[in-house]
Amino acid sequence: MALWDRVKESASQMQTQLVAKKNDLKSGAFRDASMAMCALVAAADGSVDPSERQRVAQLIATNEVLQNFPADDLRRRFEENLNKLTADFAFGKVSVLQEIAKAKKKPAEARAVIQIGIVIGGADGDFDKTEQAVVREACFTLDLPPHEFDL
């Protein structure tokens, strides 16, 4: 199986698992952590072009699990995190990882945040090394073993 197919299959499996847990993923901590994760993956390479920003915003708006929350609220939180990362990536990353850490208390939410990062990263069919690295870093922030997610 080609790498492209494995990435798409993995992202699809993650999305299926997230939908199965949708009713458990309604807390503010999960909302904040998942939007921080989306921004971190989008800015993983240090920059975000307008088309990438729009693509991730569209994925957030159409993700079934994230429909537990108002779309405009999610977009605002995503943009705030993205602005921190694009202003100063290293400094912004500290703040964004603190947002991600909010999901640490509930293992199901923590795993779901990582899965959202993988879904967002793999949405374009190329879950590249920089995206994998930031999701791996988020795993450490959440006290989750990266190998559990094939990272």
Side-chain angles (χ1 to χ4, degrees):
M1 183 185 298
L3 178 62
W4 165 266
D5 292 331
R6 281 200 311 271
V7 167
K8 285 196 308 191
E9 184 179 313
S10 176
S12 175
Q13 287 172 345
M14 294 289 176
Q15 181 61 27
T16 301
Q17 291 169 10
L18 283 167
V19 170
K21 293 183 246 170
K22 179 180 179 181
N23 292 333
D24 300 329
L25 303 173
K26 294 183 177 179
S27 77
F30 171 73
R31 176 202 59 215
D32 295 352
S34 60
M35 289 305 93
M37 175 60 86
C38 289
L40 187 60
V41 171
D45 62 2
S47 68
V48 183
D49 63 50
S51 67
E52 185 175 23
R53 182 183 289 249
Q54 183 57 41
R55 182 178 53 78
V56 174
Q58 183 64 34
L59 287 167
I60 291 167
T62 59
N63 186 294
E64 188 176 341
V65 176
L66 295 173
Q67 288 175 1
N68 285 332
F69 308 102
D72 56 338
D73 185 36
L74 293 177
R75 184 174 187 109
R76 181 183 57 76
R77 291 171 192 281
F78 168 68
E79 293 289 343
E80 285 173 1
N81 284 302
L82 209 50
N83 290 341
K84 289 176 190 174
L85 291 163
T86 53
D88 181 339
F89 186 77
F91 188 70
K93 188 163 80 165
V94 171
S95 174
V96 169
L97 286 171
Q98 287 173 338
E99 286 292 304
I100 290 170
K102 289 180 176 182
K104 193 183 217 174
K105 291 182 185 107
K106 296 183 180 174
E109 289 184 359
R111 282 181 175 76
V113 168
I114 298 300
Q115 290 172 324
I116 283 176
I118 293 168
V119 168
I120 295 295
D124 62 357
D126 180 28
F127 188 36
D128 67 39
K129 295 287 184 212
T130 57
E131 291 167 339
Q132 290 176 32
V134 295
V135 174
R136 191 176 311 110
E137 202 168 338
C139 283
F140 293 126
T141 298
L142 294 167
D143 292 336
L144 294 171
H147 69 268
E148 183 180 323
F149 304 94
D150 294 328
L151 294 170

